[in-house]
Amino acid sequence: MLDDAARRELHESTGLRGTYLEQLFTFGDPSRDPRAHVVSAAYMALIPDASAVKAPCDKYANGRWYEVTRLPELAYDHSLIAAYALKRLKSKLEYSNIANALLPREFTFAEFEELYSLILGRPLDRRNFRRRILAMGILKCLPHTRRGPHRPAALYSFANQSLRFIEML
Amino acid sequence: MLDDAARRELHESTGLRGTYLEQLFTFGDPSRDPRAHVVSAAYMALIPDASAVKAPCDKYANGRWYEVTRLPELAYDHSLIAAYALKRLKSKLEYSNIANALLPREFTFAEFEELYSLILGRPLDRRNFRRRILAMGILKCLPHTRRGPHRPAALYSFANQSLRFIEML
DNA sequence: CCAAAAGTGTTTTAAATACACCCATGC
DNA sequence: GCATGGGTGTATTTAAAACACTTTTGG
């Protein structure tokens, strides 16, 4: 299965396991790689914590992290693939609980909102956004809070751990 | 390019040219075909008129037309692929002018609405639907009408011939 | 004049937007 | 007591939904 192959490849190159994984698109333009006619089924993986990626093995030794809005020039048509991934992620944020794959088990509402704002690339109205999200019912409020240098923040987690699509009628 | 291959294959098996074509998903489960491990990049083609399909050549000689809601049991995982196609088409109907690929150049509003109702699988309120579509601006009203046994119907065509996505903000 | 499909407005309801101040804590 | 981020409510605007009759033509 392609999913399994992608998962295996991801694990070999990053050490990641149990990652959210989604097929994006299959690219088959003969000119995308000048050396050979390569057909690539592109996948997107989502993780909550970049530091979970192990020091790269010999394969892909020069992998690095970039802000998605500031990707460098990539080889072949990989910029296109990255753009496609971001587009897919944006649209799924709006009608699913996919953000679960990008956040730790517990998080504050501010962290949740920051994630959305970052990926959607626009500022969000704090009150309206909170109202909308809570009305969706994708989050549940936990009984404990996170204490910090300021007012403690309520902690949330996702109501469903598995990917769900929200009906908005 | 995969698109070209799909187009070529479609032409060979149906005689169709200039068809709307869209990649759906790539299926790679080793068990989908018991004889061999086949990876298939599935494509969806849309045409306005079933009769444009030429009498099948030797290849795919037993091709037939079915109502999408009444597909028979298909070989391998082809039912899954068909379901995927319908799902994609449904969602694109809502925020693009993709219906252009399914209608002749000129059509009545009733035909347009019937298409939507059929694909979306639910009845539509005539007045609300008309208001919404005209507000989108994807159609233009033509100066002439279609005369029939009853009151003549205004004819419409698409404002843009090429695929456009509608911003609904 | 009748059958059949085409066309048209208003009211109600719900959702989205805009917007600014008070709260709880650590230091 | 003050700096910092956490948290809350209302009024306005806009869009969606519900709903039934009149119009135009051919036969």
Side-chain angles (χ1 to χ4, degrees), chain B residues 37-81:
Chain B
H37 187 174
V38 174
V39 173
S40 298
Y43 273 76
M44 166 172 75
L46 303 177
I47 57 174
D49 178 12
S51 70
V53 173
K54 298 290 174 294
C57 53
D58 21 334
K59 222 171 168 184
Y60 313 123
N62 47 3
R64 275 192 49 200
W65 285 105
Y66 294 94
E67 298 271 332
V68 76
T69 52
R70 286 182 195 148
L71 288 176
E73 292 258 327
L74 298 176
Y76 312 118
D77 56 357
H78 293 182
S79 297
L80 187 63
I81 299 178

Side-chain angles (χ1 to χ4, degrees), chain A residues 6 8 11 27 36 39 47 49-50 70 72 103 114 127 144-145 157:
Chain A
R8 199 178 329 117
H11 178 250
F27 297 85
V39 173
I47 56 173
D49 178 11
R70 289 183 193 148
L103 287 168
E114 191 191 0
R127 289 173 285 189
H144 47 295
T145 58
S157 68

Side-chain angles (χ1 to χ4, degrees), chain A residues 2-57:
Chain A
L2 286 178
D3 288 17
D4 296 336
R7 197 170 292 285
R8 199 178 329 117
E9 184 67 24
L10 181 67
H11 178 250
E12 281 173 14
S13 55
T14 62
L16 292 167
R17 277 204 190 283
T19 314
Y20 177 86
L21 204 61
E22 172 175 339
Q23 186 187 124
L24 289 175
F25 197 82
T26 300
F27 297 85
D29 187 337
S31 66
R32 48 190 298 274
D33 185 336
R35 295 170 305 180
H37 188 176
V38 174
V39 173
S40 299
Y43 273 76
M44 167 172 74
L46 302 178
I47 56 173
D49 178 11
S51 69
V53 174
K54 298 290 174 294
C57 55

Side-chain angles (χ1 to χ4, degrees), chain A residues 110 126-128 130-131 150-154:
Chain A
R126 187 140 44 118
R127 289 173 285 189
N128 294 337
R130 172 186 286 253
R131 184 181 16 252
H150 305 301
R151 175 175 177 174

